[in-house]
Amino acid sequence: MIVLKFGGTSVANAQNISKVIDIIINKSQKEKHIIVVSALSGVTDLLHLAGTTAANKNEEYQKLVSKIALKHEELIENLVDSENQLALKTIVNNEIKQLQTLLDGCFLLNELSTKTLDRILSFGELLSSQIISFALKNNENNCCFIDSRKIIKTNDNFGKAAVIFNKTKELFSSVLQNINDQIIVFPGFIASTVNEETTTLGRGGSDYTASILAYCSNANYLEIWTDVNGMYTANPKIVKQAKSIENLSYQEAMELSHFGAKVLYPPTIQPVLNAMIPILIKNTFEPNAQGTYISNQTISNRNPVKGISHIDAITLLTLEGSGMIGITGSSKRLFEALSQHDINVIFITQASSEHSICIGISNSDAEKAKTIIDATFDIEISQNKIDSCLLEKDLCIIALVGENMKNHQGLSGKMFSTLGKNNVNIRAIAQGASERNISAVINKNDIKKALNALHERFFEDNTKQLNLFVMGVGNVGEKFIDQINQQKEFLKENLKMNVRVIALSNSRKMIFNEEGLDLNNWKLQLYESEVANTEKFISEVQKLNLRNSIFVDITANSDIANIYDQFLKQSIAVVTCNKIACSSQYENYQNLKNLSRKYNAPFLFETNVGAGLPIIDTLKHLIASGDKVNKIQAVLSGSLNFIFNNFDENNSFHDVVKEAGIQGFTEPDPKIDLSGIDVARKILILIRESGYKMEIDNIENKSFLPEECMQTANNEDFFASLIKYAPHFKNLLKEANSKNCKLKYVATFENGKANVGLEFIPQESPFYNLEGKDNIVQFYTDRYVDQPLLIKGAGAGAAVTASGIFADVVRIGNV
């Protein structure tokens, strides 16, 4: 004997039921099969709505009855041949008349009891099972229909009745012994009391019906046919990378179903577990897919975690006070009070001090539970020995499940560190001694991020998904996006990083796509998107609440530099080539560093100095290893180095500066580079990263530009001033040539003082042969005294700057 159960989506329409019939026919040729079916998809909800509508004296219930009748009538016409349609329609019409009578009574009495509701809800399965039974006969199958109420007997707890197994098994043997049909169809979900009053087994109870019949028949195995390929490592609607689980133990399946895995109704497992009958979960729409096999065997697996599940709409209820310490019976009184009022406790944790008990219950029971508990401990509360019950609503429970978790060390640590890195606050924790389940209560807004982060950690071969929010898509930004697009497959295969650009923004437009933007045509997407708005950009990033989020600032905008703290406080990493934040007031710089540490959100700005050169990273390693920086000498402006390397008797200063802008070596406002403020910011950042406190005003700026050039208001006036003062620049060049020197713009820090300015560099200096747009930095430290640590290379240009930003993103991915 094999028992097959088909869920609501499997019997949603004639097309789906045809697939069900094919499966049954193919399977039933060799041995007897029991078929259990749910109501047609959506019908149970319609029946419930009809009942409440009628009880509320609303005549709209009549339309709902007509809708239910029409749905089944259309199914009959599409599924059953004309010879059998009349007989089946007569049966269905009689059932609909009984339903109508019940609803009319609810309307007249203005009442809907749980007993009446059970009878109303029973029509869904009664109708679907009889239609499917006729459809199987229609295919000349040896088939019969049995009303489950004749066999499955329960108590009178209407709405979720408890099965009387001894009586049920006795009736099953009595009824089935005289049936020779190869296929026997039962309606799921419904049962009856010994007095023949209709009861139901709880929403999802069709699974339970199948399990009960499998137990009674001592079936070879129970097959649950649904619309997915088994139980998944996580909810696939939330975690796109979730995959079906091949094997589970009964206990693992029970834990996963209890914690929200809706593929299997939790009570289903117990009857077959007692009889050691395996469960196979299969997909009606992919019948050849492997599915999930559930048995008493624990299949050893490289991964001790079998699945991650969750329960929504949880309230955390806390009872605490000194009056509970050392007092026996407090827990008993608490749980007894809740039990007497049918309040299900989903989650329990208690402090070892006995000072508090924390439980998780459904949101719908929260206020009722608080009233009950406060009444139970009224005397202690009035004496201030126990505090009034505290409620925290709109939470979720998330759980790791696996039979072999107890044999692996550090799983709890991995779980909680993963959640912590993603700023998921844990409100409560529970873990049994068996360590088959590790549960935590979190905010409902974090559930998607938490599930994806944990799934990534435990199931995706340590592949980390990085979600980038990029502001600034000019020359550098465009190169950065191109580099990501070019390297994304390499990163996946070699570094186990899945880098996605979720948002792009420039000064005019911004675009978001939670699934990641198509980087092959991002320009068109951005052009056709919404108007840019910084506040909305920040709000959207925070609302999406994605794991491993990184804000990437590729602007030179002071307003953007001022919003970093809003990201860091949400544990969103910040990567920036914008020097303004780190060269602003020392207090602000230090605050950003502190926020980064506090919220475990990396704050990386390697490209602030030297574009793609590893200057700041090297400096950090020096300081971390205990070295001390005593002196810094550097050429830190690739644009100024390019300008002075190309400025000669044949090229005017004006023309060289223009060319530097065209090649992308200067800022959009070239005065930022030529004024020396950009170099001052860079040396200031290096000084601060060396462990010294300094402000930008403390740096002496020996400008080589005439005052009139500095006072210009726009680029046009600035370039005009360069032409006007051409003799001034020629004189600087002439003086350098006369001294056999080259002009270099140098930044120096020594003895607590710093300056930037144009210098005449002699031939013996390592700065003399600095070519093109190269930078050079010399660190004199306690360890590098006579011969400084030297870093040299290209220090400007869109491509190298973009690569430096890219490197910072990769650094975060490697954390």
Side-chain angles (χ1 to χ4, degrees), residues 323-349:
M324 295 172 63
I325 299 174
I327 305 299
T328 58
S330 296
S331 299
K332 176 180 179 294
R333 290 169 63 195
L334 171 65
F335 294 115
E336 190 171 65
L338 295 173
S339 175
Q340 288 173 351
H341 292 83
D342 295 322
I343 295 175
N344 183 38
V345 177
I346 303 167
F347 177 98
I348 306 170
T349 182

PDB file of all heavy atoms in Angstrom, residues 323-349:
ATOM      1  N   GLY A 323      10.926  38.574  42.592  1.00  0.00           N
ATOM      2  CA  GLY A 323      10.013  37.655  43.257  1.00  0.00           C
ATOM      3  C   GLY A 323       9.975  36.278  42.638  1.00  0.00           C
ATOM      4  O   GLY A 323       9.318  35.370  43.174  1.00  0.00           O
ATOM      5  N   MET A 324      10.673  36.072  41.519  1.00  0.00           N
ATOM      6  CA  MET A 324      10.711  34.759  40.882  1.00  0.00           C
ATOM      7  C   MET A 324      11.938  33.954  41.302  1.00  0.00           C
ATOM      8  O   MET A 324      11.986  32.738  41.098  1.00  0.00           O
ATOM      9  CB  MET A 324      10.704  34.921  39.357  1.00  0.00           C
ATOM     10  CG  MET A 324       9.434  35.528  38.805  1.00  0.00           C
ATOM     11  SD  MET A 324       9.552  35.904  37.043  1.00  0.00           S
ATOM     12  CE  MET A 324       9.799  34.273  36.372  1.00  0.00           C
ATOM     13  N   ILE A 325      12.932  34.635  41.879  1.00  0.00           N
ATOM     14  CA  ILE A 325      14.189  33.963  42.210  1.00  0.00           C
ATOM     15  C   ILE A 325      13.976  33.038  43.405  1.00  0.00           C
ATOM     16  O   ILE A 325      13.530  33.459  44.477  1.00  0.00           O
ATOM     17  CB  ILE A 325      15.301  34.992  42.540  1.00  0.00           C
ATOM     18  CG1 ILE A 325      15.545  35.892  41.319  1.00  0.00           C
ATOM     19  CG2 ILE A 325      16.582  34.301  42.962  1.00  0.00           C
ATOM     20  CD1 ILE A 325      16.507  37.031  41.584  1.00  0.00           C
ATOM     21  N   GLY A 326      14.289  31.771  43.209  1.00  0.00           N
ATOM     22  CA  GLY A 326      14.189  30.790  44.288  1.00  0.00           C
ATOM     23  C   GLY A 326      12.778  30.379  44.631  1.00  0.00           C
ATOM     24  O   GLY A 326      12.562  29.604  45.575  1.00  0.00           O
ATOM     25  N   ILE A 327      11.796  30.869  43.917  1.00  0.00           N
ATOM     26  CA  ILE A 327      10.387  30.533  44.187  1.00  0.00           C
ATOM     27  C   ILE A 327       9.958  29.428  43.233  1.00  0.00           C
ATOM     28  O   ILE A 327       9.943  29.615  42.016  1.00  0.00           O
ATOM     29  CB  ILE A 327       9.475  31.768  44.021  1.00  0.00           C
ATOM     30  CG1 ILE A 327       9.962  32.918  44.902  1.00  0.00           C
ATOM     31  CG2 ILE A 327       8.035  31.395  44.329  1.00  0.00           C
ATOM     32  CD1 ILE A 327       9.960  32.621  46.382  1.00  0.00           C
ATOM     33  N   THR A 328       9.621  28.279  43.778  1.00  0.00           N
ATOM     34  CA  THR A 328       9.195  27.167  42.928  1.00  0.00           C
ATOM     35  C   THR A 328       7.784  27.411  42.399  1.00  0.00           C
ATOM     36  O   THR A 328       6.955  28.047  43.056  1.00  0.00           O
ATOM     37  CB  THR A 328       9.215  25.842  43.714  1.00  0.00           C
ATOM     38  OG1 THR A 328       8.358  25.965  44.839  1.00  0.00           O
ATOM     39  CG2 THR A 328      10.619  25.506  44.176  1.00  0.00           C
ATOM     40  N   GLY A 329       7.532  26.898  41.213  1.00  0.00           N
ATOM     41  CA  GLY A 329       6.181  26.940  40.658  1.00  0.00           C
ATOM     42  C   GLY A 329       5.863  28.127  39.780  1.00  0.00           C
ATOM     43  O   GLY A 329       4.778  28.195  39.201  1.00  0.00           O
ATOM     44  N   SER A 330       6.802  29.108  39.649  1.00  0.00           N
ATOM     45  CA  SER A 330       6.516  30.282  38.817  1.00  0.00           C
ATOM     46  C   SER A 330       6.303  29.886  37.361  1.00  0.00           C
ATOM     47  O   SER A 330       5.344  30.318  36.714  1.00  0.00           O
ATOM     48  CB  SER A 330       7.661  31.295  38.924  1.00  0.00           C
ATOM     49  OG  SER A 330       7.771  31.788  40.235  1.00  0.00           O
ATOM     50  N   SER A 331       7.195  29.028  36.862  1.00  0.00           N
ATOM     51  CA  SER A 331       7.075  28.579  35.472  1.00  0.00           C
ATOM     52  C   SER A 331       5.791  27.787  35.280  1.00  0.00           C
ATOM     53  O   SER A 331       5.079  27.955  34.280  1.00  0.00           O
ATOM     54  CB  SER A 331       8.279  27.729  35.078  1.00  0.00           C
ATOM     55  OG  SER A 331       9.462  28.467  35.176  1.00  0.00           O
ATOM     56  N   LYS A 332       5.487  26.935  36.251  1.00  0.00           N
ATOM     57  CA  LYS A 332       4.264  26.123  36.157  1.00  0.00           C
ATOM     58  C   LYS A 332       3.030  27.015  36.065  1.00  0.00           C
ATOM     59  O   LYS A 332       2.140  26.792  35.231  1.00  0.00           O
ATOM     60  CB  LYS A 332       4.167  25.217  37.382  1.00  0.00           C
ATOM     61  CG  LYS A 332       2.872  24.394  37.454  1.00  0.00           C
ATOM     62  CD  LYS A 332       2.865  23.537  38.699  1.00  0.00           C
ATOM     63  CE  LYS A 332       1.562  22.731  38.801  1.00  0.00           C
ATOM     64  NZ  LYS A 332       0.383  23.580  39.005  1.00  0.00           N
ATOM     65  N   ARG A 333       2.962  28.032  36.906  1.00  0.00           N
ATOM     66  CA  ARG A 333       1.806  28.937  36.903  1.00  0.00           C
ATOM     67  C   ARG A 333       1.684  29.663  35.564  1.00  0.00           C
ATOM     68  O   ARG A 333       0.581  29.835  35.028  1.00  0.00           O
ATOM     69  CB  ARG A 333       1.946  29.954  38.039  1.00  0.00           C
ATOM     70  CG  ARG A 333       1.784  29.357  39.424  1.00  0.00           C
ATOM     71  CD  ARG A 333       2.189  30.358  40.485  1.00  0.00           C
ATOM     72  NE  ARG A 333       1.335  31.546  40.478  1.00  0.00           N
ATOM     73  CZ  ARG A 333       1.643  32.685  41.100  1.00  0.00           C
ATOM     74  NH1 ARG A 333       2.794  32.800  41.760  1.00  0.00           N
ATOM     75  NH2 ARG A 333       0.798  33.706  41.070  1.00  0.00           N
ATOM     76  N   LEU A 334       2.822  30.071  35.039  1.00  0.00           N
ATOM     77  CA  LEU A 334       2.826  30.799  33.761  1.00  0.00           C
ATOM     78  C   LEU A 334       2.292  29.936  32.631  1.00  0.00           C
ATOM     79  O   LEU A 334       1.346  30.308  31.921  1.00  0.00           O
ATOM     80  CB  LEU A 334       4.250  31.283  33.442  1.00  0.00           C
ATOM     81  CG  LEU A 334       4.467  31.875  32.043  1.00  0.00           C
ATOM     82  CD1 LEU A 334       3.677  33.160  31.867  1.00  0.00           C
ATOM     83  CD2 LEU A 334       5.949  32.123  31.795  1.00  0.00           C
ATOM     84  N   PHE A 335       2.872  28.745  32.465  1.00  0.00           N
ATOM     85  CA  PHE A 335       2.502  27.903  31.329  1.00  0.00           C
ATOM     86  C   PHE A 335       1.122  27.275  31.511  1.00  0.00           C
ATOM     87  O   PHE A 335       0.407  27.045  30.539  1.00  0.00           O
ATOM     88  CB  PHE A 335       3.570  26.836  31.097  1.00  0.00           C
ATOM     89  CG  PHE A 335       4.892  27.395  30.660  1.00  0.00           C
ATOM     90  CD1 PHE A 335       6.015  27.285  31.456  1.00  0.00           C
ATOM     91  CD2 PHE A 335       5.007  28.078  29.456  1.00  0.00           C
ATOM     92  CE1 PHE A 335       7.224  27.819  31.061  1.00  0.00           C
ATOM     93  CE2 PHE A 335       6.211  28.615  29.043  1.00  0.00           C
ATOM     94  CZ  PHE A 335       7.330  28.489  29.856  1.00  0.00           C
ATOM     95  N   GLU A 336       0.761  27.019  32.741  1.00  0.00           N
ATOM     96  CA  GLU A 336      -0.570  26.482  33.010  1.00  0.00           C
ATOM     97  C   GLU A 336      -1.647  27.500  32.643  1.00  0.00           C
ATOM     98  O   GLU A 336      -2.678  27.149  32.034  1.00  0.00           O
ATOM     99  CB  GLU A 336      -0.677  26.125  34.496  1.00  0.00           C
ATOM    100  CG  GLU A 336      -1.920  25.331  34.855  1.00  0.00           C
ATOM    101  CD  GLU A 336      -1.852  24.834  36.292  1.00  0.00           C
ATOM    102  OE1 GLU A 336      -1.861  25.708  37.202  1.00  0.00           O
ATOM    103  OE2 GLU A 336      -1.763  23.614  36.501  1.00  0.00           O
ATOM    104  N   ALA A 337      -1.412  28.771  32.993  1.00  0.00           N
ATOM    105  CA  ALA A 337      -2.380  29.827  32.658  1.00  0.00           C
ATOM    106  C   ALA A 337      -2.559  29.955  31.157  1.00  0.00           C
ATOM    107  O   ALA A 337      -3.681  30.097  30.651  1.00  0.00           O
ATOM    108  CB  ALA A 337      -1.919  31.152  33.257  1.00  0.00           C
ATOM    109  N   LEU A 338      -1.465  29.902  30.416  1.00  0.00           N
ATOM    110  CA  LEU A 338      -1.539  30.010  28.949  1.00  0.00           C
ATOM    111  C   LEU A 338      -2.224  28.790  28.347  1.00  0.00           C
ATOM    112  O   LEU A 338      -3.038  28.903  27.426  1.00  0.00           O
ATOM    113  CB  LEU A 338      -0.130  30.172  28.365  1.00  0.00           C
ATOM    114  CG  LEU A 338       0.606  31.458  28.744  1.00  0.00           C
ATOM    115  CD1 LEU A 338       2.048  31.421  28.253  1.00  0.00           C
ATOM    116  CD2 LEU A 338      -0.105  32.682  28.160  1.00  0.00           C
ATOM    117  N   SER A 339      -1.889  27.610  28.871  1.00  0.00           N
ATOM    118  CA  SER A 339      -2.477  26.368  28.355  1.00  0.00           C
ATOM    119  C   SER A 339      -3.986  26.348  28.539  1.00  0.00           C
ATOM    120  O   SER A 339      -4.729  25.913  27.657  1.00  0.00           O
ATOM    121  CB  SER A 339      -1.833  25.171  29.053  1.00  0.00           C
ATOM    122  OG  SER A 339      -2.455  23.969  28.668  1.00  0.00           O
ATOM    123  N   GLN A 340      -4.450  26.809  29.680  1.00  0.00           N
ATOM    124  CA  GLN A 340      -5.889  26.802  29.972  1.00  0.00           C
ATOM    125  C   GLN A 340      -6.679  27.686  29.025  1.00  0.00           C
ATOM    126  O   GLN A 340      -7.889  27.520  28.862  1.00  0.00           O
ATOM    127  CB  GLN A 340      -6.122  27.239  31.419  1.00  0.00           C
ATOM    128  CG  GLN A 340      -5.703  26.199  32.443  1.00  0.00           C
ATOM    129  CD  GLN A 340      -5.780  26.721  33.864  1.00  0.00           C
ATOM    130  OE1 GLN A 340      -5.996  27.917  34.096  1.00  0.00           O
ATOM    131  NE2 GLN A 340      -5.599  25.826  34.839  1.00  0.00           N
ATOM    132  N   HIS A 341      -5.982  28.636  28.382  1.00  0.00           N
ATOM    133  CA  HIS A 341      -6.659  29.533  27.441  1.00  0.00           C
ATOM    134  C   HIS A 341      -6.215  29.270  25.986  1.00  0.00           C
ATOM    135  O   HIS A 341      -6.331  30.136  25.126  1.00  0.00           O
ATOM    136  CB  HIS A 341      -6.379  30.994  27.820  1.00  0.00           C
ATOM    137  CG  HIS A 341      -7.022  31.402  29.108  1.00  0.00           C
ATOM    138  ND1 HIS A 341      -6.451  31.149  30.330  1.00  0.00           N
ATOM    139  CD2 HIS A 341      -8.217  32.028  29.354  1.00  0.00           C
ATOM    140  CE1 HIS A 341      -7.231  31.628  31.290  1.00  0.00           C
ATOM    141  NE2 HIS A 341      -8.318  32.154  30.732  1.00  0.00           N
ATOM    142  N   ASP A 342      -5.708  28.049  25.754  1.00  0.00           N
ATOM    143  CA  ASP A 342      -5.353  27.598  24.394  1.00  0.00           C
ATOM    144  C   ASP A 342      -4.368  28.536  23.695  1.00  0.00           C
ATOM    145  O   ASP A 342      -4.484  28.793  22.487  1.00  0.00           O
ATOM    146  CB  ASP A 342      -6.611  27.433  23.527  1.00  0.00           C
ATOM    147  CG  ASP A 342      -7.516  26.332  24.037  1.00  0.00           C
ATOM    148  OD1 ASP A 342      -6.980  25.308  24.496  1.00  0.00           O
ATOM    149  OD2 ASP A 342      -8.747  26.520  23.991  1.00  0.00           O
ATOM    150  N   ILE A 343      -3.403  29.050  24.432  1.00  0.00           N
ATOM    151  CA  ILE A 343      -2.361  29.894  23.823  1.00  0.00           C
ATOM    152  C   ILE A 343      -1.114  29.043  23.636  1.00  0.00           C
ATOM    153  O   ILE A 343      -0.546  28.522  24.607  1.00  0.00           O
ATOM    154  CB  ILE A 343      -2.059  31.124  24.692  1.00  0.00           C
ATOM    155  CG1 ILE A 343      -3.297  32.030  24.744  1.00  0.00           C
ATOM    156  CG2 ILE A 343      -0.852  31.889  24.153  1.00  0.00           C
ATOM    157  CD1 ILE A 343      -3.159  33.216  25.663  1.00  0.00           C
ATOM    158  N   ASN A 344      -0.715  28.889  22.394  1.00  0.00           N
ATOM    159  CA  ASN A 344       0.423  28.043  22.052  1.00  0.00           C
ATOM    160  C   ASN A 344       1.735  28.793  22.264  1.00  0.00           C
ATOM    161  O   ASN A 344       1.913  29.907  21.771  1.00  0.00           O
ATOM    162  CB  ASN A 344       0.311  27.592  20.587  1.00  0.00           C
ATOM    163  CG  ASN A 344       1.428  26.652  20.201  1.00  0.00           C
ATOM    164  OD1 ASN A 344       1.838  25.806  20.994  1.00  0.00           O
ATOM    165  ND2 ASN A 344       1.928  26.793  18.986  1.00  0.00           N
ATOM    166  N   VAL A 345       2.644  28.190  23.012  1.00  0.00           N
ATOM    167  CA  VAL A 345       3.978  28.773  23.236  1.00  0.00           C
ATOM    168  C   VAL A 345       4.931  28.186  22.207  1.00  0.00           C
ATOM    169  O   VAL A 345       5.131  26.968  22.142  1.00  0.00           O
ATOM    170  CB  VAL A 345       4.478  28.490  24.668  1.00  0.00           C
ATOM    171  CG1 VAL A 345       5.892  29.038  24.858  1.00  0.00           C
ATOM    172  CG2 VAL A 345       3.528  29.099  25.684  1.00  0.00           C
ATOM    173  N   ILE A 346       5.522  29.050  21.393  1.00  0.00           N
ATOM    174  CA  ILE A 346       6.366  28.615  20.287  1.00  0.00           C
ATOM    175  C   ILE A 346       7.845  28.580  20.679  1.00  0.00           C
ATOM    176  O   ILE A 346       8.617  27.768  20.173  1.00  0.00           O
ATOM    177  CB  ILE A 346       6.169  29.562  19.081  1.00  0.00           C
ATOM    178  CG1 ILE A 346       4.692  29.596  18.680  1.00  0.00           C
ATOM    179  CG2 ILE A 346       7.029  29.158  17.893  1.00  0.00           C
ATOM    180  CD1 ILE A 346       4.326  30.715  17.722  1.00  0.00           C
ATOM    181  N   PHE A 347       8.215  29.429  21.603  1.00  0.00           N
ATOM    182  CA  PHE A 347       9.634  29.652  21.910  1.00  0.00           C
ATOM    183  C   PHE A 347       9.770  29.915  23.405  1.00  0.00           C
ATOM    184  O   PHE A 347       8.969  30.652  23.984  1.00  0.00           O
ATOM    185  CB  PHE A 347      10.102  30.861  21.087  1.00  0.00           C
ATOM    186  CG  PHE A 347      11.524  31.308  21.316  1.00  0.00           C
ATOM    187  CD1 PHE A 347      12.538  30.920  20.455  1.00  0.00           C
ATOM    188  CD2 PHE A 347      11.842  32.150  22.372  1.00  0.00           C
ATOM    189  CE1 PHE A 347      13.834  31.352  20.640  1.00  0.00           C
ATOM    190  CE2 PHE A 347      13.139  32.582  22.564  1.00  0.00           C
ATOM    191  CZ  PHE A 347      14.148  32.191  21.698  1.00  0.00           C
ATOM    192  N   ILE A 348      10.771  29.307  24.048  1.00  0.00           N
ATOM    193  CA  ILE A 348      10.980  29.496  25.483  1.00  0.00           C
ATOM    194  C   ILE A 348      12.462  29.704  25.768  1.00  0.00           C
ATOM    195  O   ILE A 348      13.313  28.989  25.235  1.00  0.00           O
ATOM    196  CB  ILE A 348      10.509  28.273  26.303  1.00  0.00           C
ATOM    197  CG1 ILE A 348       9.056  27.907  25.985  1.00  0.00           C
ATOM    198  CG2 ILE A 348      10.690  28.517  27.791  1.00  0.00           C
ATOM    199  CD1 ILE A 348       8.629  26.582  26.585  1.00  0.00           C
ATOM    200  N   THR A 349      12.757  30.668  26.626  1.00  0.00           N
ATOM    201  CA  THR A 349      14.118  30.808  27.156  1.00  0.00           C
ATOM    202  C   THR A 349      14.012  31.391  28.554  1.00  0.00           C
ATOM    203  O   THR A 349      13.128  32.203  28.838  1.00  0.00           O
ATOM    204  CB  THR A 349      14.996  31.696  26.250  1.00  0.00           C
ATOM    205  OG1 THR A 349      16.317  31.750  26.791  1.00  0.00           O
ATOM    206  CG2 THR A 349      14.453  33.108  26.149  1.00  0.00           C
TER     207      THR A 349
END
